[in-house]
Amino acid sequence: MHKGEKVDMLVTLNGLELQLENNTCYIRWQDIKAWSKSHTGTNASLTVHMDSDMCNLLSIDTKQSSYLIDVILEIITVLQKEDSTVASFYADMIHVTDKMKIWDNVLYNGYKPS
């Protein structure tokens, strides 16, 4: 995936499906460390943990970023109800900066509650 590349995104209970021009990329919810939304409402970002110890930032510029974040939060809520071992959201998992609001993902494989 390259900067500025147009992507069709399908958000499902299994994760995100990113349909590129010649390829499809799947990202499981357990591989997403956090997500954020800019206060301007035109950008949503996902911090994705890759196979190694590296994390990549997937930045999505869309007028529907608020809707995307709402859908992500709803899916996480559904998945939490399906699996009682998943932690709940707590206030310290949501961070607000002068530019964005950030949510830690309780489904992330490396998540450790405080």
Side-chain angles (χ1 to χ4, degrees):
M1 200 170 335
H2 305 287
K3 183 177 181 176
E5 187 172 355
K6 294 202 184 279
V7 175
D8 289 325
M9 179 185 300
L10 181 61
V11 183
T12 72
L13 289 174
N14 294 321
L16 301 174
E17 180 179 318
L18 307 175
Q19 299 171 351
L20 311 166
E21 187 175 314
N22 296 321
N23 198 4
T24 300
C25 175
Y26 299 95
I27 303 172
R28 300 176 322 136
W29 292 116
Q30 294 83 354
D31 295 330
I32 298 173
K33 187 173 183 178
W35 55 86
S36 62
K37 181 182 75 124
S38 67
H39 291 310
T40 62
T42 59
N43 180 274
S45 298
L46 305 169
T47 304
V48 181
H49 187 201
M50 306 312 281
D51 292 334
S52 65
D53 290 333
M54 190 172 88
C55 287
N56 284 345
L57 184 67
L58 174 62
S59 181
I60 304 159
D61 290 319
T62 176
K63 294 176 184 172
Q64 296 181 329
S65 66
S66 293
Y67 177 67
L68 174 60
I69 295 300
D70 288 345
V71 169
I72 290 172
L73 289 169
E74 186 63 29
I75 285 177
I76 298 300
T77 300
V78 168
L79 294 173
Q80 284 177 304
K81 287 178 183 175
E82 289 180 357
D83 183 354
S84 62
T85 63
V86 174
S88 297
F89 271 113
Y90 296 102
D92 65 349
M93 298 171 67
I94 301 171
H95 318 279
V96 179
T97 69
D98 59 335
K99 295 185 180 184
M100 66 183 57
K101 187 172 186 178
I102 304 163
W103 292 263
D104 292 334
N105 182 7
V106 296
L107 298 178
Y108 171 60
N109 278 336
Y111 173 72
K112 294 176 181 47
S114 311

